[in-house]
């Protein structure tokens, strides 16, 4: 068994970078702080993590994170480690303990961020991956081309099942493709899951019978395992086409179970992502983190969007979207459909398309759709007009001149 | 239903602090970026998060995290929010999406850290909490007073089941109370779980029959749900008294399932803790984070230790240990036993006892025990001598003068 797990990191250290990375490699494989009798050269050779790459980047005068060993200069490096698969086997929970375990607080490092992981095919054999992905989502939503135009039920909390269904009714009349629960709404006592699912699906069914278009609604089934399974089964029984789960709430073991159980696309919500990623020299980059969930079965992955309302820069958003559209293995690509959201409007379609080069995505707008001066239908139309123009290479201004809904949307945005 | 969930935060903002916290409260309850028709005053009043406290702390000239709204000064504040339980119900997965969801990347904040949470009793009714805690652990380990003296199997990776059992044999002969698998070792192909459990328990059984003392071994059962259950059942069937799981690998849903299934104390490992906590103005503080796992059933919680080998400062270690020893509710305290580890030696017993005032803890040493010049038995003895002296109010130097093992240990440490 010679397959290896690889992980790349951005590190910052006042120590000699090679020595620091050797500590990191030792800590995460056969090493201890104090050399012990059992730690033979043969054992280290066979099971030790290997430094595959160490490349000096820029230097900094001050440490990015407190608590580290001090020095006159802090060197940033790109480092890659590898481990024999034999150390842990193809296990996602144990992978995380290895590539992202007791590393981030090693006193050698004033910065340490996991950038990417590369897994041997044994992982592809062990885990389901997305069952629906782009094609399955397009088929179920009845959207053959262009992005799925979507929105989120707002207010996030407070609507009754009936009020939720009324909003869904208005959105279906407006021609929407995709609607999701807010991540704050799962099974609150004032809006119980079952009552909400029944009320919403009745509306979606009615529209499907009238128009032939079955709007995809991502029901937030986040909860304990039996609850998630029961809610999934209810959504399926009611003819629903998508379930949603909050990754940081559910965790790897729960998501693997859901991925194995699910017969519907899983809309994976990353709320809490900021605590994992906001500091550029700490935590997780999305390409590494999302691979865990892609393997577990996430069909849709949130990436925010260009000029979003959060702190994530555009280049990070685009790198995230590209990463989930890049195959993990040729034989098993595990492609998830990226979900653009957070402050998205018709004004972002062209820049998004220019950066990503595909319409295989969900484009979810809240105020950018519901806030259209001429109502929801015009809001949906304006987003489609912007995306159709972007994909056809027609400038935004030209498209706006040709389409009243888009023109009005942009005017309302002050463009 | 008037019970409320409370969460306290440390925030940093260049904005008006009250306005910034209002955005945070709105985002995590009934709000949206753009005011929408459904967001009535009645709805906000009933479901909106409430600002319970906002206290100005120090000011900073530069932002702690990049990407935030800039300003001439960055104000740090202690803020407390509350939510009606009715928004989500007593659900740990949904609690996390509410108190630690899409908050950390709000552009109002150049720093945001969750410090603590306070949950209504409905959570106590819903979740098991630690089934064994301090008393159950003492009973199973046969240690009526003083800390459990423990160690970790090293090298972390590479030992066969037989080599692991040999090490356990030496540790049992040395009089140890507690041994744990390393978090990197669960079911690696070169050290399969079942073979390791059988080999180790055979040794522990033999010593128990000879001496009456059954050493507690925390078997790392981290894996998928069916694996964890099967491994737990095997450990129980073999007469083992503890299982271990990596919290960040397993996740909330998996830990709740394990907590409900387990008939043994759960040794909860926090590897990866650094990515959640290392930046002082981002992520999670231990008192908040550990409450999730205490409720799910963690009997033992890692806190590192005084003068540890990682970056965590002593005051944070002590606050962490105190927090898991503080009742969550009078009727259901959910006390977890703190586990001190990472660079711990006989030299830290007095300072630890002075800070924490109890010996209800596990004190795990690697090099600080195995590295004793006179062997394991002397290593274990030296740690007990230090702790007995600390608890009896006898200074370390006095105890060292009276006990050869302790004296030798301190000399070897250069004290």
């Amino acid at each position: 068994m010679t397959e290896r797990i690889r992980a790349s990191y951005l590190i910052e250290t006042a120590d000699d970078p090679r020595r620091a990375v050797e500590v990191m490699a030792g800590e995460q494989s056969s090493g201890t702080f104090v050399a012990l009798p059992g730690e033979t050269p043969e054992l280290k050779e066979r099971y030790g993590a290997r430094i595959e790459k160490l490349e000096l980047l820029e230097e900094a005068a001050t440490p990015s994170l407190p608590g580290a060993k001090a020095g006159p200069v802090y060197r940033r490096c790109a480092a890659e480690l590898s481990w024999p698969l034999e150390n842990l086997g193809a296990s996602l929970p144990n992978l995380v303990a290895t590539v992202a375990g007791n590393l981030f607080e090693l006193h050698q490092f004033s910065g340490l961020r996991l950038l990417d992981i590369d897994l041997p095919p044994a992982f592809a054999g062990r885990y389901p991956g997305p069952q629906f992905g782009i094609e399955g989502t397009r088929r179920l939503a009845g959207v053959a081309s262009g992005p799925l135009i979507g929105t989120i039920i707002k207010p996030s909390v407070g609507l009754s099942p009936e009020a939720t269904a009324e909003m869904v009714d208005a959105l279906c009349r407006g021609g929407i493709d995709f609607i999701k629960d807010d991540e704050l709404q799962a099974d609150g006592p004032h809006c119980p899951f079952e009552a909400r699912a029944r009320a919403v699906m009745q509306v979606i069914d009615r529209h499907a019978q009238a128009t032939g278009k079955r709007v995809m609604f991502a029901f937030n089934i986040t909860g304990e395992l039996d609850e998630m399974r029961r809610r999934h089964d209810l959504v399926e029984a009611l003819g629903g086409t998508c379930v949603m789960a909050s990754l940081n709430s559910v965790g790897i073991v729960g998501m693997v179970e859901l991925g194995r159980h699910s017969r519907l696309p899983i809309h994976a919500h990353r709320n809490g992502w900021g605590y994992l990623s906001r500091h550029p020299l700490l935590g997780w980059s999305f390409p590494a983190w999302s691979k865990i969930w892609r393997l577990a079965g996430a069909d849709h992955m949130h990436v925010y969007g260009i000029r979003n309302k959060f702190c994530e820069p555009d280049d990070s958003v685009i790198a995230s979207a590209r990463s989930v559209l890049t195959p993990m293995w040729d034989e098993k690509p595990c492609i998830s459909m990226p979900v653009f959201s957070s402050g998205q409007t018709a004004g972002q379609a062209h820049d998004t398309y220019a950066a990503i080069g595909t319409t295989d995505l969900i484009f979810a707008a809240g105020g950018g759709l519901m806030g259209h001066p001429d109502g929801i239908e015009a809001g949906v139309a304006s987003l489609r007009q912007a995306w159709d123009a972007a994909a056809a290479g027609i400038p935004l201004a030209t498209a706006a001149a040709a389409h009243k809904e888009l023109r009005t949307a942009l005017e309302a945005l002050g463009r």
Side-chain angles (χ1 to χ4, degrees), chain A:
Chain A
M1 196 190 292
T2 55
E3 295 178 293
R4 295 183 81 81
I5 292 160
R6 288 159 185 272
S8 57
Y9 300 87
L10 173 64
I11 62 154
E12 184 188 277
T13 182
D15 202 349
D16 169 63
R18 178 152 297 267
R19 190 166 52 212
V21 176
E22 275 168 5
V23 168
M24 183 179 163
E27 267 298 296
Q28 289 310 99
S29 58
S30 57
T32 56
F33 282 113
V34 180
L36 293 176
E39 200 182 338
T40 61
E42 296 72 30
L43 186 144
K44 284 180 90 162
E45 171 63 27
R46 183 161 172 193
Y47 302 106
R50 192 192 287 161
I51 302 172
E52 300 285 352
K53 190 179 98 172
L54 182 61
E55 194 186 311
L56 204 63
L57 307 171
E58 72 276 15
E59 296 187 343
T62 53
S64 293
L65 298 170
K69 204 169 174 172
V73 65
Y74 297 83
R75 290 184 190 84
R76 295 188 186 146
C77 302
E80 188 181 308
L81 295 188
S82 76
W83 293 260
L85 177 59
E86 167 176 38
N87 281 23
L88 53 148
S91 164
L92 281 180
N94 290 298
L95 173 73
V96 170
T98 294
V99 301
N102 276 347
L103 275 175
F104 301 88
E105 57 269 72
L106 287 172
H107 75 148
Q108 277 77 10
F109 298 98
S110 56
L112 198 149
R113 186 172 172 93
L114 177 54
L115 299 180
D116 207 350
I117 51 176
D118 183 40
L119 303 176
F123 280 86
R126 175 85 185 268
Y127 291 98
Q131 293 184 70
F132 292 85
I134 294 163
E135 278 176 37
T137 297
R138 286 195 177 285
R139 178 169 41 80
L140 288 172
V143 179
S145 66
L148 269 65
I149 301 298
T151 196
I152 300 115
I153 294 291
K154 298 274 176 182
S156 316
V157 175
L159 297 180
S160 64
E162 296 69 32
T164 308
E166 276 171 37
M167 191 161 288
V168 170
D169 190 34
L171 289 162
C172 288
R173 275 187 273 116
I176 200 125
D177 301 320
F178 177 89
I179 310 172
K180 64 179 275 292
D181 274 330
D182 193 273
E183 75 273 16
L184 298 173
Q185 186 57 270
D187 187 37
H190 69 286
C191 189
F193 185 86
E194 181 170 345
R196 183 169 80 253
R198 289 187 186 280
V200 166
M201 283 313 302
Q202 201 172 22
V203 169
I204 287 178
D205 258 345
R206 201 177 67 233
H207 284 277
Q209 280 160 26
T211 67
K213 181 183 173 76
R214 175 167 292 269
V215 170
M216 180 174 276
F217 191 104
F219 288 99
N220 183 11
I221 64 170
T222 301
E224 294 180 33
L225 192 56
D226 57 340
E227 293 172 332
M228 291 199 294
R229 285 182 181 142
R230 208 164 53 228
R231 291 172 192 162
H232 165 280
D233 294 353
L234 175 67
V235 170
E236 190 194 23
L238 293 171
T241 55
C242 190
V243 293
M244 163 174 147
S246 290
L247 300 172
N248 290 317
S249 297
V250 172
I252 295 174
V253 162
M255 275 300 293
V256 166
E257 291 297 317
L258 181 60
R260 295 222 162 97
H261 179 84
S262 190
R263 292 174 299 269
L264 298 172
I266 300 174
H267 186 85
H269 203 286
R270 66 174 184 175
N271 62 82
W273 172 237
Y275 68 70
L276 295 170
S277 70
R278 177 148 174 210
H279 194 290
L281 271 142
L282 180 64
W284 292 75
S285 279
F286 192 76
W289 188 76
S290 56
K291 281 180 180 168
I292 313 281
W293 309 109
R294 290 164 68 184
L295 263 174
D299 292 282
H300 309 158
M301 288 286 302
H302 280 243
V303 297
Y304 296 146
I306 283 190
R307 296 191 292 283
N308 63 78
K309 294 281 188 172
F310 292 117
C311 289
E312 191 155 328
D314 290 351
D315 59 350
S316 171
V317 168
I318 295 304
S320 297
R322 279 197 188 131
S323 75
V324 297
L325 290 166
T326 303
M328 287 180 67
W329 300 277
D330 290 342
E331 307 72 27
K332 184 162 184 159
C334 294
I335 303 293
S336 300
M337 197 163 190
V339 182
F340 288 74
S341 69
S342 166
Q344 298 301 289
T345 70
Q348 280 108 313
H350 280 71
D351 293 341
T352 306
Y353 185 77
I356 194 94
T358 180
T359 60
D360 283 338
L361 53 93
I362 298 175
F363 195 76
L369 184 157
M370 312 280 274
H372 194 288
D374 298 328
I376 291 173
E377 191 171 352
V380 173
S382 70
L383 291 167
R384 277 200 218 288
Q385 289 157 1
W387 271 99
D388 286 350
I394 298 165
L396 182 61
T398 312
H403 299 287
K404 180 170 176 296
E405 293 88 349
L406 178 56
R407 192 163 61 245
T408 306
L410 296 176
E411 280 165 9
L413 292 165
R415 298 273 298 246

Coordinates of all heavy atoms in Angstrom, one line a residue, chain A residues 380-407:
Chain A
V380 N -37.2 38.1 -10.9 CA -36.7 36.9 -11.5 C -36.3 37.2 -13.0 O -35.2 36.8 -13.4 CB -37.7 35.8 -11.4 CG1 -37.3 34.5 -12.2 CG2 -38.0 35.4 -10.0
A381 N -37.1 37.8 -13.7 CA -36.8 38.1 -15.1 C -35.5 38.9 -15.3 O -34.7 38.6 -16.1 CB -38.0 38.9 -15.8
S382 N -35.3 39.9 -14.4 CA -34.1 40.7 -14.5 C -32.9 39.9 -14.3 O -31.8 40.1 -15.0 CB -34.2 41.9 -13.5 OG -34.0 41.4 -12.2
L383 N -32.9 39.0 -13.4 CA -31.8 38.1 -13.1 C -31.5 37.2 -14.3 O -30.3 37.0 -14.7 CB -32.0 37.3 -11.8 CG -32.0 38.1 -10.5 CD1 -32.5 37.3 -9.4 CD2 -30.6 38.7 -10.2
R384 N -32.5 36.6 -14.9 CA -32.3 35.8 -16.1 C -31.8 36.6 -17.2 O -30.9 36.1 -18.0 CB -33.7 35.2 -16.5 CG -34.0 33.9 -15.7 CD -35.1 33.1 -16.5 NE -36.0 32.6 -15.5 CZ -35.8 31.6 -14.7 NH1 -34.6 31.0 -14.7 NH2 -36.7 31.1 -13.9
Q385 N -32.3 37.8 -17.4 CA -31.9 38.6 -18.5 C -30.4 39.0 -18.4 O -29.6 38.9 -19.4 CB -32.7 39.9 -18.6 CG -34.2 39.7 -19.0 CD -35.1 40.8 -18.6 OE1 -34.7 41.7 -17.9 NE2 -36.4 40.6 -18.9
A386 N -30.0 39.3 -17.2 CA -28.6 39.6 -16.9 C -27.7 38.4 -17.2 O -26.7 38.4 -17.9 CB -28.4 40.0 -15.5
W387 N -28.1 37.2 -16.8 CA -27.3 36.0 -17.0 C -27.3 35.5 -18.4 O -26.3 35.1 -19.0 CB -27.8 34.8 -16.1 CG -27.1 34.9 -14.7 CD1 -27.5 35.4 -13.6 CD2 -25.8 34.4 -14.5 NE1 -26.6 35.3 -12.6 CE2 -25.5 34.7 -13.1 CE3 -24.8 33.8 -15.3 CZ2 -24.3 34.4 -12.5 CZ3 -23.6 33.4 -14.7 CH2 -23.3 33.7 -13.3
D388 N -28.5 35.6 -19.1 CA -28.5 35.3 -20.5 C -27.6 36.2 -21.3 O -26.8 35.7 -22.2 CB -30.0 35.4 -21.1 CG -30.9 34.3 -20.6 OD1 -30.4 33.4 -20.0 OD2 -32.1 34.5 -20.8
A389 N -27.6 37.4 -21.0 CA -26.7 38.4 -21.7 C -25.2 38.0 -21.4 O -24.4 38.0 -22.3 CB -27.0 39.8 -21.3
A390 N -24.9 37.8 -20.1 CA -23.6 37.5 -19.8 C -23.1 36.2 -20.5 O -22.0 36.3 -21.1 CB -23.5 37.2 -18.3
A391 N -23.9 35.2 -20.6 CA -23.5 33.9 -21.2 C -23.4 34.1 -22.7 O -22.6 33.4 -23.4 CB -24.5 32.8 -20.9
A392 N -24.2 35.1 -23.3 CA -24.2 35.3 -24.7 C -23.1 36.3 -25.2 O -23.0 36.7 -26.3 CB -25.5 35.7 -25.2
G393 N -22.4 36.9 -24.2 CA -21.4 37.9 -24.5 C -21.9 39.2 -24.8 O -21.3 40.1 -25.4
I394 N -23.2 39.5 -24.4 CA -23.8 40.8 -24.6 C -23.6 41.7 -23.4 O -23.8 41.2 -22.2 CB -25.3 40.6 -24.8 CG1 -25.6 39.8 -26.1 CG2 -26.0 42.0 -24.9 CD1 -27.0 39.2 -26.2
P395 N -23.0 42.9 -23.5 CA -22.7 43.7 -22.4 C -24.0 44.0 -21.6 O -25.1 44.0 -22.1 CB -22.2 45.0 -23.0 CG -21.7 44.6 -24.4 CD -22.6 43.5 -24.8
L396 N -23.8 44.3 -20.3 CA -24.9 44.5 -19.4 C -25.7 45.7 -19.9 O -27.0 45.6 -19.9 CB -24.4 44.8 -18.0 CG -25.4 45.0 -16.9 CD1 -26.3 43.8 -16.7 CD2 -24.7 45.3 -15.5
A397 N -25.1 46.8 -20.3 CA -25.8 48.0 -20.7 C -26.7 47.7 -21.9 O -27.8 48.2 -22.0 CB -24.8 49.1 -21.0
T398 N -26.1 46.9 -22.8 CA -26.9 46.6 -24.0 C -28.2 45.8 -23.7 O -29.3 46.0 -24.1 CB -26.0 45.7 -25.0 OG1 -24.8 46.3 -25.1 CG2 -26.7 45.5 -26.3
A399 N -27.9 44.8 -22.8 CA -29.1 44.0 -22.3 C -30.1 44.8 -21.6 O -31.3 44.6 -21.8 CB -28.6 42.8 -21.4
A400 N -29.6 45.8 -20.8 CA -30.5 46.6 -20.0 C -31.4 47.5 -21.0 O -32.5 47.7 -20.7 CB -29.8 47.5 -19.0
A401 N -30.7 47.9 -22.0 CA -31.5 48.7 -23.0 C -32.6 47.9 -23.7 O -33.7 48.5 -24.0 CB -30.5 49.3 -24.1
A402 N -32.4 46.6 -23.8 CA -33.3 45.8 -24.5 C -34.4 45.2 -23.6 O -35.5 44.8 -24.1 CB -32.6 44.6 -25.2
H403 N -34.1 45.2 -22.3 CA -35.1 44.5 -21.3 C -35.5 45.5 -20.2 O -34.6 45.9 -19.4 CB -34.5 43.3 -20.7 CG -34.1 42.2 -21.8 ND1 -35.1 41.5 -22.4 CD2 -32.9 41.8 -22.3 CE1 -34.5 40.7 -23.3 NE2 -33.2 40.8 -23.2
K404 N -36.8 45.8 -20.2 CA -37.3 46.7 -19.1 C -37.0 46.2 -17.7 O -36.6 47.0 -16.9 CB -38.8 46.8 -19.4 CG -39.5 47.8 -18.4 CD -40.9 48.1 -18.8 CE -41.6 48.9 -17.8 NZ -41.8 48.3 -16.5
E405 N -37.2 44.9 -17.4 CA -37.0 44.4 -16.0 C -35.6 44.6 -15.6 O -35.4 45.0 -14.4 CB -37.4 42.9 -15.9 CG -38.9 42.6 -16.2 CD -39.2 42.4 -17.6 OE1 -38.4 42.7 -18.5 OE2 -40.4 42.0 -17.9
L406 N -34.7 44.3 -16.5 CA -33.3 44.4 -16.1 C -32.9 45.9 -15.9 O -32.2 46.3 -15.0 CB -32.4 43.8 -17.2 CG -30.9 43.9 -17.0 CD1 -30.4 43.3 -15.6 CD2 -30.1 43.1 -18.1
R407 N -33.4 46.7 -16.8 CA -33.1 48.1 -16.8 C -33.7 48.7 -15.4 O -32.9 49.4 -14.7 CB -33.8 48.8 -17.9 CG -33.4 50.3 -18.2 CD -33.8 50.8 -19.5 NE -35.2 50.7 -19.8 CZ -35.9 49.9 -20.7 NH1 -35.2 49.1 -21.4 NH2 -37.2 50.0 -20.8

